[in-house]
Amino acid sequence: MKVIFGFAFAIVGIVACSSSNESVDPTTTTNTTTLPTAFKAFNSSLNAYVDGDYVVIKSTATPDHKSPYFGSSNANYEAYNGTNSKFAINPNRISTQNYTFRIPITPAKASSPQATPLGPIGVSLNGVPFYNQYAGPNTPLTNEINSFDQYNGHPDPSGTYHYHVEPLYLTKTKGTGALLGFLLDGYPVYGPVENGKKVTNSDLDAYHGHSHATAEYPNGIYHYHITAEDPYISGSGFYGKPGTVTK
Ligand SMILES: [Zn+2]
Ligand SMILES: [Zn+2]
């Protein structure tokens, strides 16, 4: 009996020891030790870490720029000052979310690509979700576009702020050809300019991407580009097998 007790105690000791060696608490600490280089581009205010075959990104989906959608009593409120004369604010206001994106570290082309869902299809470097080219099931963005604020985002009825098109604050601060985020399938999303030339839909495949070397992936990678024309970010679904997003 004594021997068994001692043995059990030793196991507890080993378990406790190994867990104290890994004292990084992924819920409160950003563990960048094994984060792939490209994923280090996320704002440091986001919690990004590796969990098995996935990069996990936790986001409140609150933009790091001003917006009329913060509501006039919020410090981040800024009245609309964009260029769309038809701008009409929608009734929704930004509210803090609690999103967990799980994105494959090693993306792989899907054998039968899936359509993108309504709601988040990826996450931009400031934590704001990317949404697809629809306002509702098979409904184009036509009317929604007039509610995009000066940075091209707006909140949905749940208060989730999101981008369907070029996130103007990011392309202004990071560059029009810069890495801007990732879709859920793990493939990166780049801006609308490449090698000094505007990317158009005709430069891209049905999923709205193509493959070549980029600054973050010198050996080449499939990547999406945001263009000025519908479908803007993603085309006929995810090129790769998507991870998950929960809140
Ligand atoms: Zn929307
Ligand atoms: Zn490209």
Side-chain angles (χ1 to χ4, degrees):
M1 185 66 190
K2 232 179 198 172
V3 172
I4 292 166
F5 183 80
F7 182 66
F9 186 79
I11 289 171
V12 169
I14 289 162
V15 170
C17 188
S18 73
S19 72
S20 73
N21 284 344
E22 298 173 321
S23 60
V24 174
D25 175 359
T27 60
T28 55
T29 313
T30 301
N31 179 359
T32 54
T33 51
T34 53
L35 204 57
T37 310
F39 287 88
K40 291 179 182 165
F42 278 99
N43 280 13
S44 57
S45 60
L46 301 176
N47 188 4
Y49 60 91
V50 173
D51 180 23
D53 295 334
Y54 294 88
V55 172
V56 179
I57 295 144
K58 303 247 184 195
S59 172
T60 62
T62 310
D64 59 345
H65 54 73
K66 300 194 172 202
S67 170
Y69 286 106
F70 273 112
S72 55
S73 61
N74 189 293
N76 290 314
Y77 174 83
E78 181 180 77
Y80 184 75
N81 58 14
T83 56
N84 179 5
S85 60
K86 293 184 193 148
F87 173 75
I89 197 162
N90 77 23
N92 311 320
R93 292 296 175 268
I94 296 168
S95 66
T96 302
Q97 309 294 316
N98 187 13
Y99 277 107
T100 302
F101 294 88
R102 293 177 65 84
I103 295 177
I105 293 180
T106 310
K109 188 181 187 315
S111 45
S112 47
Q114 303 175 26
T116 53
L118 296 175
I121 62 166
V123 58
S124 59
L125 297 183
N126 62 359
V128 170
F130 289 126
Y131 278 28
N132 71 14
Q133 68 273 40
Y134 299 111
N138 294 314
T139 311
L141 289 172
T142 321
N143 297 321
E144 283 216 343
I145 286 172
N146 290 330
S147 69
F148 294 168
D149 68 15
Q150 53 270 47
Y151 300 106
N152 265 350
H154 70 173
D156 68 13
S158 76
T160 302
Y161 188 80
H162 57 277
Y163 304 124
H164 295 269
V165 300
E166 179 184 348
L168 294 174
Y169 183 77
L170 291 179
T171 48
K172 188 178 154 203
T173 53
K174 298 183 188 295
T176 48
L179 172 70
L180 300 176
F182 289 82
L183 292 197
L184 284 175
D185 61 5
Y187 288 109
V189 177
Y190 285 83
V193 173
E194 197 156 67
N195 302 322
K197 208 179 132 267
K198 227 178 189 139
V199 180
T200 65
N201 290 349
S202 62
D203 298 317
L204 307 171
D205 67 14
Y207 304 97
H208 220 238
H210 62 185
S211 298
H212 59 77
T214 68
E216 291 78 11
Y217 296 91
N219 297 326
I221 190 159
Y222 184 86
H223 55 280
Y224 300 99
H225 275 283
I226 298 181
T227 66
E229 321 141 287
D230 189 307
Y232 310 108
I233 299 176
S234 71
S236 318
F238 291 112
Y239 181 79
K241 192 173 180 290
T244 59
V245 54
T246 52
K247 72 167 182 175

